[in-house]
Amino acid sequence: MASKLQNLSSYNPDALPPKDVVAKQKYGVIVADWNSQVTYKLLEGAVIALEENGAKDITVVHVPGAFELTYAAKKLQMEGGYSAIIVLGCVIQGDTPHFDYVCSGVTQGVATLNAVEGYCPVIFGLLTTLNLQQALDRAGGKLGNKGVEGAITAIRMASLR
Ligand code: INI
C-alpha cells in the first residue's frame, strides 16, 4: 500500500528562476542553536538547496534560540542587499506554556517584518513540534527538510522583488 506520508520538500526545479539570475542574488540564512541536532540539518538542507539552484552569495548567522530569529532577520533586512532571508529554528513542546509564547513571538515577529514595505522577504522556517521525532522527520527525515522548503520559497519570493 502506498504510504500516506508526503515528502513536503519536493519541488520542480524547472519552475524556479534560472540559475544565472539566482547567482547574482544574496541570501541570508539565520539559524537558532537551540535544538541544534535538528536546526543544523535544516541549515544544511537550506544551503544545499540554495546552492543547487544557483546561489553563490549566502550569509549564515547563528542566534541562541528561536526567539532571537526576528531580531537577526531585521538586522540583515536593514543592512540591505539581500534578496531574501530565511529563518530556521525548532521549538519542541514541553510541560509549560513556554512553547506557545516562543512560537507566537517568532511567528508574529516574522509576519511583522514581512508587512513592512521596502525590505526583502523573510521566509519562515520554524519547526513547531510536539516532540523530537516530529522535528527529525521534518529535518531531513521521512517528511523532507523544512530548510529545503525555506530555500525554494526564498528563491521564488526573491524573484517577486
Ligand atoms: N528556543 C528554541 O529555539 N527552541 C525551543 O524549543 C526553546 N524552548 O523550548 O525553550 C527555545 N527557548 C529559548 C528562546 O528561543 C530564547 O532563546 C530565550 O528565551 C532567550 O530569549
Side-chain angles (χ1 to χ4, degrees):
M1 196 175 101
S3 170
K4 285 186 188 157
L5 292 173
Q6 202 191 345
N7 184 320
L8 304 171
S9 306
S10 54
Y11 65 95
N12 176 10
D14 298 334
L16 294 176
K19 286 186 183 180
D20 59 328
V21 171
V22 179
K24 293 190 195 109
Q25 298 172 332
K26 181 173 168 175
Y27 288 89
V29 185
I30 306 168
V31 60
D33 291 335
W34 249 84
N35 295 320
S36 61
Q37 74 271 43
V38 174
T39 62
Y40 290 5
K41 289 188 177 148
L42 301 178
L43 175 64
E44 188 183 22
V47 170
I48 289 173
L50 285 170
E51 287 177 346
E52 277 181 357
N53 289 288
K56 298 199 180 311
D57 190 350
I58 304 169
T59 301
V60 175
V61 175
H62 286 258
V63 294
F67 204 76
E68 285 71 45
L69 291 168
T70 306
Y71 179 85
K74 181 183 69 176
K75 206 163 180 306
L76 292 196
Q77 264 190 332
M78 297 186 79
E79 212 174 272
Y82 288 91
S83 295
I85 295 162
I86 307 158
V87 299
L88 301 172
C90 171
V91 194
I92 300 176
Q93 193 169 38
D95 295 332
T96 72
H98 189 73
F99 169 87
D100 303 292
Y101 291 110
V102 174
C103 293
S104 71
V106 184
T107 309
Q108 289 302 319
V110 171
T112 303
L113 293 181
N114 280 303
V116 179
E117 190 77 35
Y119 293 98
C120 75
V122 180
I123 311 306
F124 185 72
L126 183 71
L127 288 175
T128 57
T129 65
L130 304 179
N131 54 54
L132 177 62
Q133 190 57 54
Q134 285 185 345
L136 292 170
D137 288 345
R138 291 160 177 80
K142 65 185 176 192
L143 294 178
N145 188 318
K146 193 84 181 160
V148 173
E149 287 174 55
I152 301 310
T153 305
I155 291 171
R156 292 186 58 192
M157 291 304 289
S159 75
L160 277 185
R161 290 198 87 206

